Amino acid sequence: MKKIKFMDVSFRDGFQSCYGARVKTDDFLPVLEAAVEAGTDNFEIGGGARFQSLYFYCQEDAFDMMDRAREVVGPDINLQTLARGANVVGLVSQSRDIIDLHARMFKKHGITTIRNFDALMDVRNIAYSGQCIHNAGLKHQVVIALMGLPPGLNESYCHTPKFYLDKLKEILDSGLPFDSVAFKDASGTTTPAVVYEAVKGARKMLPEGTVIEFHTHDTAGMGVACNFAAIEAGADIIDLCMAPVSGGTAEVDILTMWHRLRGTDYTLDIDHEKILEVESMFIDHMDKYYMPPEAKEVNPVIPFSPMPGGALTANTQMMRDNNSLHLFPEVIRNMREVVAKGGYGSSVTPVSQFYFQQAFANTVQGPWKKITESYGKMVLGYFGKTPADPDPEIVRLASEQLGLEPTTEDVHDINDRNPELGIDYNKQLLEKEGLPTTEENIFISATCGPKGIAFLKGDGPLGIRYKADVEAEAAKKVQPKSASAAAAPAPKSSSGAYTVTVDGRAYNVTVAEGTGAVQSVSPAAAQPAVQPDASSGEGTPVEAAMPGTVIALEVEVGDQVNEGDDVLIIEAMKMESPVKSPTSGKVLSIEVASGDAVASGDVLMYIG
């Protein structure tokens, strides 16, 4: 009987998939220690969104988290992190000196292995980072990034077994040093048949003894089947999770997969009773955190619009924060077209976020009215070569709107010329703020931007969603805040129909005659927004084109601006969108402050 190894990804991908990566270190370290005592010796502990999230939302240092994890598990346990090739642990690709710094800092802070991938499967993007990982004395796990194509698309090569094996051959031919190979499906949309053929073909191509690891999510309900297909094809290790962060958008549970293998020629080498105890402990420790219902759902729509489990809840959390969660189904529907016209890059961060941002923009601003910066740069080649050529019309729109020409140049060369990237630039940012210029701080600044600087200054806000806070927010919504916010029924009609307003939102309510029982409630038709009185708001209003959070004001009252100048920056869905002045003139008033949440159409300032 073949013993199949597993990596417990609960403390990175599980957190990312179920809590938007917003979990405090103190709350999971005791569970990590218990898991080691139960016999698990292989953990994913950081990287991916769990690097930025600690600075953005938890107000904790990711390097400190790594140090504490290593102290808990001892010297012999494999602690693995996730890296995004030239992007390392951020959404923005970096210059070579920062990519090298990433490997050295993660080695310094107790990491054993780095899983290294590029969503576009441009081997140039993982060649340099992989060499840096190897040079730093870390184990390098190179990735083949999988994704199932939405049905009905006219594409017969990308994301087939042949495509994946061609990419593996390209990696082998490049001479890139690696210690193991992972087939990683972040969206859980690859079919078991494709998984089987790709892993089986890789087993024949790779040198004897090369470890193959398989990673998938259960978002589309295919996790168990795909794991078993990979095992039968020759995979040595699969990625699994523990409850409460298993199933749904996360990975298959350790105990579920152990049960699937009973009576077969394979087994997981675990003490299932001990794992039961650890999972019970884990559930207790995570009970304080709010888990959105979509985190545990198997979603049949995902194969049609591949949204990674690790990004889905992060995006829905942000949409909740920006009061735009009602747009989520339409955004997901719009992703299919965005994936196809964008060149079929694998839907995994950062490309999955580029897809989501563009689908979000298409939803709130109209199809292809605005090409978002990251998606536009991707189709123009500034993140590498996409698996297929992007739609020519989208390339044209991106070039016009961003003012950039298409390129085939190596991303590293482009970034090395950028004066706002690299160690020296970030050292200057730290010095300007009076902060120590340690290598750790330089890396935090480079990968986390202004939010990283805010953390280092002690100015960052806490953004964790605790269950108690969410319940309190829900209670407030059903209780009128004041007499003016109370439900105010209109005169009763003969049919028992009313229009009521609660917290500024109108609803149609039908009440059964003679009983007072509510039969139905539905949103009322939206009323035309009240436009600002031209006499009270002098000048031209600058309005928000999409819901989000104001993160920076680029001007002050009294400043002179030209039409098209950036006057403010709004963040939504990890996307920073500059708001441009619609006219030339003087800034007469600013109606918002940094940190304010705004809705589409809100007036941000007046220029006259």
Side-chain angles (χ1 to χ4, degrees), residues 122-438:
D122 185 337
V123 175
R124 296 176 300 174
N125 287 355
I126 54 176
Y128 184 75
S129 53
Q131 187 66 55
C132 290
I133 291 166
H134 176 78
N135 292 347
L138 292 153
K139 292 183 178 179
H140 178 218
Q141 185 176 82
V142 70
V143 172
I144 303 296
L146 311 180
M147 179 182 74
L149 286 184
L153 298 180
N154 185 26
E155 175 56 44
S156 59
Y157 174 62
C158 293
H159 300 288
T160 64
K162 177 171 173 48
F163 170 75
Y164 297 134
L165 295 175
D166 284 349
K167 287 298 177 181
L168 180 59
K169 184 177 187 303
E170 194 175 338
I171 290 170
L172 292 169
D173 290 345
S174 74
L176 170 63
F178 62 87
D179 299 276
S180 58
V181 176
F183 285 81
K184 175 181 171 64
D185 182 6
S187 59
T189 53
T190 307
T191 64
V194 171
V195 170
Y196 180 84
E197 291 300 327
V199 174
K200 184 179 179 180
R203 178 53 71 202
K204 294 178 180 178
M205 289 174 60
L206 290 166
E208 186 176 352
T210 302
V211 170
I212 297 177
E213 189 158 353
F214 179 71
H215 170 102
T216 193
H217 292 243
D218 209 23
T219 321
M222 301 300 292
V224 172
C226 285
N227 279 335
F228 193 72
I231 289 169
E232 287 198 305
D236 305 286
I237 306 176
I238 55 176
D239 289 358
L240 301 171
C241 266
M242 294 189 295
V245 294
S246 56
T249 59
E251 288 74 16
V252 173
D253 193 281
I254 296 169
L255 294 170
T256 300
M257 204 65 217
W258 169 79
H259 188 60
R260 171 62 183 88
L261 296 180
R262 294 175 69 186
T264 71
D265 293 331
Y266 311 97
T267 187
L268 293 182
D269 188 17
I270 63 170
D271 184 325
H272 54 274
E273 295 294 343
K274 288 183 178 180
I275 297 296
L276 272 170
E277 292 177 6
V278 178
E279 290 202 357
S280 178
M281 177 184 181
F282 199 15
I283 291 169
D284 288 342
H285 277 250
M286 293 296 105
D287 186 60
K288 68 175 72 174
Y289 292 96
Y290 172 69
M291 185 181 292
E294 61 270 16
K296 302 300 286 186
E297 291 178 348
V298 169
N299 192 332
V301 174
I302 294 301
F304 296 85
S305 299
M307 168 53 64
L312 192 150
T313 51
N315 285 321
T316 56
Q317 293 276 42
M318 285 187 286
M319 295 185 88
R320 281 187 177 88
D321 293 343
N322 293 321
N323 298 314
S324 59
L325 186 59
H326 60 286
L327 298 174
F328 184 72
E330 187 176 354
V331 174
I332 288 295
R333 282 194 296 272
N334 286 337
M335 271 193 67
R336 187 192 322 203
E337 181 183 33
V338 168
V339 171
K341 292 191 174 183
Y344 298 109
S346 296
S347 189
V348 59
T349 308
V351 167
S352 59
Q353 207 60 35
F354 301 165
Y355 289 154
F356 192 83
Q357 290 166 356
Q358 187 61 57
F360 184 79
N362 286 1
T363 300
V364 300
Q365 299 188 50
W368 307 108
K369 298 294 185 184
K370 173 181 171 56
I371 305 296
T372 62
E373 182 177 7
S374 295
Y375 184 85
K377 285 185 174 179
M378 179 186 74
V379 300
L380 290 172
Y382 287 86
F383 291 109
K385 179 174 173 51
T386 54
D389 291 336
D391 183 272
E393 176 62 14
I394 301 304
V395 172
R396 183 188 68 79
L397 288 172
S399 182
E400 287 182 358
Q401 292 186 24
L402 300 182
L404 295 170
E405 291 297 320
T407 182
T408 58
E409 191 176 6
D410 189 310
V411 168
H412 303 85
D413 293 335
I414 296 172
N415 292 340
D416 282 350
R417 292 196 306 271
N418 189 334
E420 296 187 354
L421 293 176
I423 288 176
D424 288 342
Y425 174 74
N426 285 282
K427 187 181 292 185
Q428 292 169 17
L429 293 180
L430 293 168
E431 290 172 346
K432 182 180 178 181
E433 298 293 342
L435 294 167
T437 56
T438 64

Side-chain angles (χ1 to χ4, degrees), residues 565-588:
D565 284 352
D566 293 348
V567 293
L568 180 146
I569 297 176
I570 290 176
E571 181 185 60
M573 308 304 109
K574 293 186 181 178
M575 172 175 60
E576 294 184 4
S577 297
V579 177
K580 299 183 182 298
S581 175
T583 186
S584 298
K586 182 187 294 185
V587 178
L588 301 177

